[in-house]
Structures are given as C-alpha cells and as structure tokens.
Amino acid sequence: MAAGGLAVLGGPQLIPGGIDESVWPEVDESDLDAVTGTLRSGKLSWFNNVEVKALEEQWARYAGTKHCLALNSGTAALHAAVAAVGVGPGDEVVVPALSFLASASCVLHHQGIPVFADIDPVTFTLDPAELERVVTPRTKAIIVVHLHGLPADMAPILDFAGRRGLAVIEDAAQAHGATYRGRAVGSLGSVGAFSIMAGKNLPTAGEGGLLTTDDAGLRNRADAVKMFGEQIGPDNEREYNAHTIGFNYRMSPILAAMARSQLARLDRYTKEVQAGAERLAARLAELPGVRPPVVPADRTHVYHHFRITLDPEAAGVDLPPGVFRQAVQNAVAAEGAPVSMWQNRPLPGQALFRDLTGYGKGCPWTCGHARPVRYRQEEFPHTLAVIQRTLLAGTRLCMASLRDPASVEAYADAFTKVMTHRDALVTYARGLDYAEPWETASRLW
C-alpha cells in the first residue's frame, strides 16, 4: 500500500486510474452465438420463438419452482405478481422502507396502497417484528425484498402471513441464486419476481424479468397481465378476448437467448463474487468503525451490492454519523476506489408518496377505495440510520469489481489508508458543508 497523506487532502492517489467497473455483463462467444443463432432462426415473434419458453423452463428448474413466466422487466414481473395475488383498488401491501422504487410502485400499478415497514438495521431487509404494527384488515400481501442479494428472514414472515391469510411476494431482483435455509429465493413465498436487466447478477442485453411460482392459477393470472388481459393457451392459442386489464409485457427472444447463455455461468459468477466479498469483509472487519455486510448462518448472500456501515464512535472519532460517512466516502473515492450511495431517502420520503401524486388528483389514495394514508419518513428510524451511515463498494454492482482479486485488495487498501489517517480525516470532515441525504434538493434538468 502506497505511503503518504490522504488524496482528498492533496496526497498521492493510492490507485491511479481507479478500479475498472466497466466490464459487465461479461460477453463471450457463447453469448454472441446465442444471439446471432436466434436472429438467424427467424423465430422472433412471441408466438413462434423457442427461446422465451426455454428460459422459463430453465429458470423454474434453477429456482426450484413449478412455473416461471418471462416478462420484459423486473418491474413488470413485480406488477404481474401483485395482480396475480389479487391486489385491487384500496388493498394494502406491506413494503420495506428501503428498496428501489419498483418494490412499491408495482402496488400502485394495480391501484393498491403501499404501507411501509422499517428494516432490520443489520441485514437491511424487512424487520418481521414490524408486521404486527403495520398490517391492517385491508392488508392483502407482503412484499419481501431480498436486498443487495441477502435473503430476508423468511420463516417468521411466512408464519405471520400464513396466520393472517396474506400472500407473500418475493422481490428477488438482486438475489439470483441466493438461498434461505437451503432453498432458493423465489421459491419461498406465493410468487417471486426477478430482474435480469444488464446490471444484475444474471444479466441480459437490456431489460427482462422472471416470475416464479408453484401455483398454476397465480401463473395464469400473471400471464393475463403480461398479455393484454387475455388467457393464452399452452401452444400460444389466442381468443382475442380480454378477461382483465392487461399490458404488453412480453420478452424478446433475443434477450431470452442472452439470458440463457449467461445462466450457464451464473454459478461461477456467484462463487467468484462471494470469494471476493468474503476477502473484502475480512479485511474491512479489521478496521475500527467499519462493518462489512452481516450474513446470518441460515442464508447465503450473492452480493449484488456490498453495503458498508460506518460507526464514528467505534472508530474513535468525534463526528456526527452522517458527516463521518460522507468524509470516508469522499476520501476513499479520492484514492481511486469507487464508492457510492444507493437510495438517498426512504421510499415513503420520495415525492410520489410524500405528496400523494399517484396518477393525478391523489389516486389511488383518493379514489374512494382506500383509507386515509400519510407517509412520513421519520417513522422509519432504522432506514434513515442505514442511509445516513452506510455506503456501497462500487458505483455499479459487485459483479463488475469484486470478482477481480486485485480490485478487492485495492478496495481494502483504500479503506485501510483512509482509516489509518483518521486525524486528517476528522480535520477534513469538519470542513464539509453537510446535509442528510434525504434533505438534499431534487435535481432539475
């Protein structure tokens, strides 16, 4: 590790040129052959292509479910899952307060009402203890997000849902191949939803989604949402008769071919990133005030994101938590190791929910089916604390960097250098013009 002061204060940069995160997805000749072979086949329409059906069959086997439905995005898969379990106008769906927007907006897509729950501050996933507080007689389902690639604590959630007669939707957009007590995510709840956009652990050449379930009825209702509200036969027979509101969520066979080719390498990718993450975690755990991701013994983590918690008290520095996190973030980035924030405010703090904009005129909240709901981000202290105190290794995703042993060591060296110069870091931090992430003004373009 290079000597010298912190780069953020004018010292020599530890990693000149930085860490290369650009090579993802990894594309080789097998991917090119899969795509060009599909093009040459001429079977490019929804009714005659073979790639989409083959992907559905392969992912169902991989996830350990009876059925899989391929859609054109992970958001579409979530929307179809919400519709499949019977969510309708005014029905409430529990959603963790820390996630990507689609985990909650998918409920609005079918006129349901998201009701937010706080997270476990250690695993960053839905806190099962929150369910008793937020579930009401209007609750129809629980959306569980396996955030960053770590499964949520499913046993108490499923037990609670079973006693209340609630559906459980797994948002596994970041968790391809992760397991909970030996079972793959996407096979634990009523229905699962995955994203396979190009940035995910299982990527395609653009956007795509996969829905998994053991229930044929749920699969068929989701299929109607995918295909204009129609009931499509097993051989693509079509009546041109819509039974419900539907959309055009079909997947391209070219993207399915790319995903199938990538799926053949998913286990290798996962093992490589897990090895890198474990090495990085071991080195970061040696640094005072730096806590790597915690992985409970009953589950596996596939590290779509590697979220690091920073604790000024444990580091022995007298700084507010957010200021300390910002200073470390700036200092590590200045050394050439890309680090970032992901989700700067709780979901209930986003303008869509805070202002109840919805579809306009306050719908679906004001359309006559819902009880009055107000969203206040201060009701989710654990989510606020996680946003304030944590950062991610990387600016894209861990598959692009933690698979490379040299990049892993570079990340660890950058954090080590910064934390070794804590006195200088404190001096730098006290000069920052800091605002909490959720208090920053919205960008206008």
Side-chain angles (χ1 to χ4, degrees):
M1 183 175 69
L6 295 176
V8 76
L9 293 174
Q13 187 179 50
L14 183 65
I15 314 163
I19 294 172
D20 183 10
E21 292 189 301
S22 64
V23 186
W24 189 261
E26 178 184 282
V27 178
D28 67 15
E29 289 299 320
S30 65
D31 303 310
L32 300 177
D33 290 344
V35 169
T36 56
T38 301
L39 289 170
R40 291 191 178 100
S41 74
K43 296 180 178 180
L44 302 176
S45 176
W46 71 271
F47 56 80
N48 72 353
N49 85 82
V50 298
E51 292 296 330
V52 172
K53 184 176 182 180
L55 175 61
E56 291 173 337
E57 292 173 347
Q58 284 182 255
W59 189 251
R61 287 195 299 271
Y62 190 93
T65 60
K66 294 179 181 178
H67 308 285
C68 172
L69 190 68
L71 303 97
N72 59 15
S73 72
T75 300
L78 280 168
H79 178 196
V82 165
V85 301
V87 172
D91 289 335
E92 296 179 0
V93 179
V94 177
V95 181
L98 181 65
S99 187
F100 179 65
L101 174 66
S103 302
S105 63
C106 65
V107 179
L108 298 180
H109 291 336
H110 232 65
Q111 304 292 323
I113 306 298
V115 174
F116 294 101
D118 212 350
I119 61 167
D120 180 322
V122 175
T123 65
F124 315 129
T125 58
L126 177 68
D127 182 354
E130 280 280 279
L131 295 175
E132 200 70 56
R133 180 179 72 86
V134 301
V135 164
T136 77
R138 292 175 175 265
T139 305
K140 187 78 173 183
I142 301 167
I143 293 179
V144 180
V145 182
H146 303 309
L147 198 69
H148 305 336
L150 178 68
D153 192 2
M154 292 297 292
I157 295 170
L158 291 170
D159 179 67
F160 181 94
R163 288 186 279 108
R164 298 296 186 97
L166 304 176
V168 175
I169 297 169
E170 296 178 75
D171 180 347
Q174 300 180 347
H176 312 76
T179 61
Y180 177 84
R181 299 186 180 179
R183 291 180 59 187
V185 298
S187 70
L188 300 161
S190 310
V191 60
F194 297 82
S195 168
I196 56 171
M197 61 83 72
K200 294 298 194 293
N201 293 28
L202 175 62
T204 189
E207 298 284 346
L210 301 168
L211 180 149
T212 53
T213 184
D214 284 331
D215 187 315
L218 293 180
R219 183 262 175 216
N220 292 340
R221 286 195 289 276
D223 195 29
V225 173
K226 168 185 172 179
M227 183 69 176
F228 303 106
E230 299 179 33
Q231 294 180 352
I232 306 300
D235 295 319
N236 292 329
E237 308 98 312
R238 189 175 185 184
E239 295 180 337
Y240 293 96
N241 179 23
H243 294 261
T244 184
I245 186 71
F247 302 81
N248 182 1
Y249 285 162
R250 297 176 298 203
M251 175 183 278
S252 160
I254 296 170
L255 301 185
M258 174 71 172
R260 290 183 63 208
S261 182
Q262 289 285 320
L263 179 54
R265 307 199 292 278
L266 176 59
D267 286 344
R268 174 169 64 82
Y269 294 155
T270 300
K271 289 177 181 178
E272 290 169 351
V273 79
Q274 285 174 332
E278 289 166 7
R279 171 60 179 164
L280 180 57
R283 287 202 55 192
L284 294 184
E286 298 173 352
L287 304 176
V290 180
R291 188 181 77 198
V294 174
V295 185
D298 61 354
R299 61 203 86 168
T300 61
H301 200 321
V302 296
Y303 297 100
H304 179 70
H305 289 311
F306 188 101
R307 187 180 283 269
I308 300 162
T309 302
L310 298 164
D311 182 347
E313 184 176 357
V317 300
D318 183 17
L319 289 172
V323 174
F324 179 58
R325 186 267 311 154
Q326 187 66 65
V328 173
Q329 181 176 342
N330 294 355
V332 170
E335 298 298 340
V339 287
S340 62
M341 301 283 288
W342 185 81
Q343 304 306 313
N344 290 350
R345 51 182 48 81
L347 283 175
Q350 291 202 24
L352 170 64
F353 301 105
R354 184 193 64 217
D355 302 336
L356 299 180
T357 52
Y359 295 98
K361 298 182 180 180
C363 288
W365 296 278
T366 60
C367 289
H369 299 285
R371 68 179 174 94
V373 176
R374 298 299 299 180
Y375 298 105
R376 299 177 180 86
Q377 62 185 14
E378 60 269 20
E379 295 177 359
F380 307 94
H382 289 160
T383 299
L384 289 171
V386 166
I387 292 170
Q388 179 189 63
R389 295 165 180 260
T390 65
L391 55 80
L392 305 184
T395 57
R396 287 170 50 85
L397 76 169
C398 291
M399 287 290 180
S401 49
L402 295 191
R403 293 173 56 225
D404 176 13
S407 295
V408 169
E409 298 303 326
Y411 274 116
D413 288 345
F415 275 92
T416 300
K417 178 181 177 183
V418 168
M419 298 309 294
T420 300
H421 291 78
R422 286 196 294 283
D423 290 344
L425 183 70
V426 170
T427 300
Y428 167 74
R430 287 180 175 152
L432 290 175
D433 183 14
Y434 177 79
E436 301 291 5
W438 53 87
E439 295 174 348
T440 57
S442 297
R443 290 191 296 264
L444 298 177
W445 300 97

